[in-house]
Amino acid sequence: MPADFLTDAENTWCPGCGNFSILYSLKRIIENYKKEGGDTKKIVLVTGIGCHAKIADYLDINSVYSLHGRAVPFASGIKIADPGLKVICCVGDGDSYAEGLEHILFAAKRNTDITVIVHDNRVYGLTIGQYTPTSPSDYHGKTNPPDGCDLPFNPLKLMLCSGASFIARGYTGKMKQLESLIKAGMDHKGFSMVEVLQICASFYNKRDLYDKYTYEYKGDAKTAAKALEAAGEWDYNSESPIPLGIIYDSERKTFEERFKDIKKDNDKQKTAVLKYLGR
């Protein structure tokens, strides 16, 4: 019999993959949520396409596989249709920072009440090692020349500039902190993004870098200027201190709150459509 909230599906992640830490962090959070009286049937997990997406196979909760790069709009639509649901969205760095970049930016801008967990291994692992928007410039993958790829962008700074009300960064090598950050993101009212630095055991194992340079950030998370400073401390391209923790945490009305009182006049809408159609 499978353990609570774990399915009996065969796990095909590579040994040592960072996805295991995220899977077990979520499992414990859901177990504790149930112990505290929460209705786990109200939790919905949406995933994109990539190694990370298999987490939907392994967690025994309501889940949806979406299209590549489209997990965030799926999650947003589910939340808007039923604001009583707790919606978690697991995405990869290629999945959300490349194909789905515009979706994650606009979800942050709208402050839709969903939690986006980015499994950032800085490589397309499932399709054997192409570079992503957070791969460093000296990375040589399957789709870039040996002399390197583009400079990486900084997703935390992008999220801050887009209006995200909660931003955190964790590392799969520090599971206790990672679990607390994901829990804090889920408790936050509004859009929350938890970027998770993880290794790709097969194509980009940066454990030594993360073990050496990550540290627990305890700075002011309520001030946007301080958050921007913390987010910029590491540029994803060099060896420098990497802050882990809650980078930014603020309050503002969610998308659902701003529009919940709008009354739709169905008859008026129908009349307008028929008029447009000439009927």
Side-chain angles (χ1 to χ4, degrees), residues 84-151:
L85 297 176
K86 187 175 283 293
V87 182
I88 307 164
C89 184
C90 283
V91 292
D93 48 316
D95 187 48
S96 60
Y97 295 158
E99 286 86 347
L101 179 61
E102 74 277 24
H103 297 305
I104 196 170
L105 295 182
F106 272 80
K109 175 177 176 290
R110 293 171 180 137
N111 203 29
T112 312
D113 187 17
I114 61 174
T115 299
V116 178
I117 301 170
V118 182
H119 301 223
D120 189 358
N121 59 12
R122 308 171 70 197
V123 72
Y124 283 88
L126 187 66
T127 49
I128 61 173
Q130 296 89 346
Y131 79 100
T132 76
T134 52
S135 302
S137 59
D138 62 356
Y139 178 76
H140 179 211
K142 305 285 184 181
T143 52
N144 62 298
D147 60 346
C149 58
D150 306 330
L151 283 169

Side-chain angles (χ1 to χ4, degrees), residues 14 35 64 80 92 99 103 129 145 149 154 186 219 230 242 253 261:
C14 301
K35 289 177 184 174
V64 180
I80 292 167
E99 286 86 347
H103 297 305
C149 58
N154 186 322
M186 291 171 63
I242 304 172
K253 279 191 173 183
D261 294 329

Side-chain angles (χ1 to χ4, degrees), residues 92-228:
D93 48 316
D95 187 48
S96 60
Y97 295 158
E99 286 86 347
L101 179 61
E102 74 277 24
H103 297 305
I104 196 170
L105 295 182
F106 272 80
K109 175 177 176 290
R110 293 171 180 137
N111 203 29
T112 312
D113 187 17
I114 61 174
T115 299
V116 178
I117 301 170
V118 182
H119 301 223
D120 189 358
N121 59 12
R122 308 171 70 197
V123 72
Y124 283 88
L126 187 66
T127 49
I128 61 173
Q130 296 89 346
Y131 79 100
T132 76
T134 52
S135 302
S137 59
D138 62 356
Y139 178 76
H140 179 211
K142 305 285 184 181
T143 52
N144 62 298
D147 60 346
C149 58
D150 306 330
L151 283 169
F153 65 51
N154 186 322
L156 270 60
K157 292 173 79 173
L158 274 176
M159 289 295 103
L160 277 167
C161 295
S162 300
S165 55
F166 182 99
I167 296 170
R169 180 195 279 136
Y171 166 42
T172 52
K174 297 182 178 179
M175 279 188 63
K176 187 175 180 181
Q177 183 195 38
L178 174 63
E179 183 179 329
S180 71
L181 295 176
I182 294 174
K183 173 70 165 48
M186 291 171 63
D187 290 341
H188 175 77
K189 190 174 74 171
F191 178 88
S192 57
M193 185 189 87
V194 181
E195 182 185 66
V196 184
L197 297 177
Q198 67 173 90
I199 66 159
C200 173
S202 296
F203 299 104
Y204 197 62
N205 189 340
K206 301 300 287 184
R207 186 185 303 278
D208 290 345
L209 173 78
Y210 299 146
D211 285 347
K212 180 177 180 180
Y213 287 101
T214 55
Y215 76 96
E216 186 174 354
Y217 177 70
K218 295 182 178 179
D220 178 9
K222 298 294 183 183
T223 306
K226 291 291 184 183
L228 199 59

